[in-house]
């Protein structure tokens, strides 16, 4: 049985001046999927996330969430429908506590918060929001750091905080933009375990540079190159696709290889 469609883009493009960052991308995501998007630097992956989540309006094309056209909806309206993204950069305020950072990120979207609460920090946090934020910290395993100054967190714990920021918005689909970037091997293992746990409860899309890190996690793999979606399918098949191999590993690696040894070599 085919699960329901969560998200769809139809021939979506984004131009910045004369430059086309995302070029006619048609993409479908189904409930329960853990979909990976890979592609070289500048391929348009993050821009595509920005289009899906409403940070940028597309230059052309259509975006649907749960079969509803959301092309003209703002980012916060899409969050309310259940699509939430994390950001590639560590997007937290270092001088605030972990909990304050989380509350701040949530009140922007929260219906209970109201407009005044958006500017309140400290003891005046609405109790319901604090409870939700603590639950999100619990889920990512850093609730013991709630009162800690965010600057003191390790890079891995900051990444968990970013994921908590996403989870606290109660997404149906969570888009993770390079959640493993800049982490140590140990932190990567922890964040991957967390992502696996999160996937039990929601649909995921993960942008990642290194295919080897997510190949066991994703049920589907898409490849972007120069703004275009050049491959989309089960990971094993996509990795054997001649165009993908050309883009990722260059002409000399077009021989058949076993495992991902050639990829690891090329990524160094
Ligand atoms: N706001 C913007 N204004 C102008 N150009 C932009 C803007 N955002 C992205 N671009 C350009 O669009 C292209 C795609 O960028 P994007 O960040 O989507 O790539 P990416 O695949 O996420 O790359 P990376 O793997 O390095 O994160 C790049 O050439 C980038 O410089
Ligand atoms: Mg990017």
């Amino acid at each position: 049985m085919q699960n329901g469609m969560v998200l769809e883009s139809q021939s979506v493009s984004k131009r910045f001046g004369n430059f086309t960052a995302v070029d006619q991308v048609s993409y479908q995501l189904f409930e329960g999927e853990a979909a990976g998007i890979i592609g070289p630097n500048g391929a348009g992956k993050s821009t595509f996330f920005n289009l899906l989540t409403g940070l940028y309006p597309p230059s052309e094309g259509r975006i649907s969430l749960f079969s509803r056209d959301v092309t003209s909806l703002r980012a916060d309206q899409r969050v309310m429908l259940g699509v939430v993204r994390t950001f590639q950069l560590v997007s937290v305020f270092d001088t605030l506590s972990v909990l304050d950072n989380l509350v701040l990120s949530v009140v922007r979207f929260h219906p209970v918060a109201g407009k005044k609460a958006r500017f309140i920090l400290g003891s005046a946090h609405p109790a319901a929001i604090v409870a939700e934020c603590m639950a999100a910290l619990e889920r990512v395993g850093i609730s013991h750091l709630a009162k800690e100054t965010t600057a003191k967190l390790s890079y891995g714990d900051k990444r968990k905080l970013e994921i908590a920021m996403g989870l606290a918005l109660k997404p149906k689909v969570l888009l993770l933009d390079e959640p493993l970037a800049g982490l140590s091997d140990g932190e990567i293992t922890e964040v991957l375990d967390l992502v696996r746990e999160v996937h039990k409860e929601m649909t995921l899309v993960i942008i990642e540079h290194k295919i080897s890190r997510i190949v066991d996690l994703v049920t589907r793999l898409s490849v972007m190159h120069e703004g275009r979606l050049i491959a989309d399918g089960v990971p094993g098949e996509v990795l054997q696709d001649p165009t993908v191999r050309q883009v990722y590993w260059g002409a000399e690696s077009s021989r058949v290889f076993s495992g991902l040894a050639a990829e690891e070599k090329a990524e160094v």
Side-chain angles (χ1 to χ4, degrees):
M1 192 180 73
Q2 178 69 70
N3 288 335
M5 184 142 23
V6 169
L7 185 155
E8 182 177 26
S9 73
Q10 293 171 283
S11 300
V12 154
S13 298
K14 182 64 184 177
R15 283 183 286 274
F16 297 109
N18 289 329
F19 177 74
T20 304
V22 172
D23 195 2
Q24 301 271 323
V25 170
S26 293
Y27 181 81
Q28 296 181 332
L29 181 73
F30 294 93
E31 202 181 327
E33 281 196 289
I37 299 180
I38 61 170
N41 284 315
K45 306 180 297 295
S46 297
T47 305
F48 183 53
F49 267 19
N50 288 339
L51 296 175
L52 294 176
T53 53
L55 257 74
Y56 296 152
S59 306
E60 60 190 33
R62 238 177 69 119
I63 292 157
S64 309
L65 280 179
F66 305 102
S67 304
R68 167 180 173 184
D69 189 334
V70 297
T71 315
S72 58
L73 292 193
R74 296 186 313 264
D76 59 315
Q77 295 172 311
R78 296 190 205 187
V79 167
M80 297 311 290
L81 291 174
V83 61
V84 172
R85 69 162 292 171
T86 63
F87 287 89
Q88 197 168 4
L89 300 172
V90 175
S91 48
V92 292
F93 298 102
D94 267 352
T95 53
L96 295 181
S97 76
V98 168
L99 183 60
D100 281 346
N101 258 307
L102 189 50
V103 169
L104 253 192
S105 73
V106 168
V107 291
R108 289 186 295 151
F109 299 107
H110 206 288
V112 176
K115 283 206 166 65
K116 280 182 192 161
R118 293 175 192 211
F119 303 101
I120 295 171
L121 280 177
S123 59
H125 296 327
I129 291 180
V130 172
E132 283 172 19
C133 290
M134 282 307 296
L137 290 178
E138 196 83 48
R139 261 171 100 187
V140 303
I142 57 167
S143 57
H144 60 291
L145 299 172
K147 298 269 162 63
E148 189 67 82
T149 306
T150 306
K152 291 189 178 154
L153 263 53
S154 68
Y155 208 58
D157 286 338
K158 277 188 187 168
R159 195 57 51 80
K160 290 177 195 168
L161 172 57
E162 289 180 319
I163 294 174
M165 286 175 168
L167 294 177
L169 295 172
K170 301 204 163 61
K172 296 189 173 105
V173 50
L174 184 63
L175 311 185
L176 299 160
D177 194 347
E178 298 201 32
L180 309 176
L183 301 186
S184 68
D185 286 348
E187 289 171 333
I188 286 173
T189 307
E190 282 184 27
V191 171
L192 273 178
D193 285 347
L194 170 60
V195 170
R196 276 201 184 83
E197 280 302 307
V198 168
H199 179 229
K200 289 178 184 165
E201 289 166 47
M202 66 192 71
T203 310
L204 291 181
V205 190
I206 303 164
I207 292 177
E208 174 56 42
H209 264 279
K210 299 194 176 182
I211 301 164
S212 56
R213 285 176 177 167
I214 59 163
V215 75
D216 294 335
L217 174 74
V218 298
T219 49
R220 183 152 67 96
L221 194 59
S222 307
V223 185
M224 284 190 77
H225 179 53
E226 294 177 351
R228 290 180 169 269
L229 197 62
I230 62 165
D232 187 19
V234 290
E237 285 170 21
V238 168
L239 293 175
Q240 293 300 324
D241 183 290
T243 315
V244 172
R245 297 168 64 87
Q246 177 75 30
V247 164
Y248 246 77
W249 299 298
E252 80 279 11
S253 71
S254 56
R255 67 189 188 284
V256 176
F257 66 99
S258 60
L260 291 161
E263 176 212 346
E264 297 290 16
K265 198 169 154 227
E267 281 175 352
V268 177

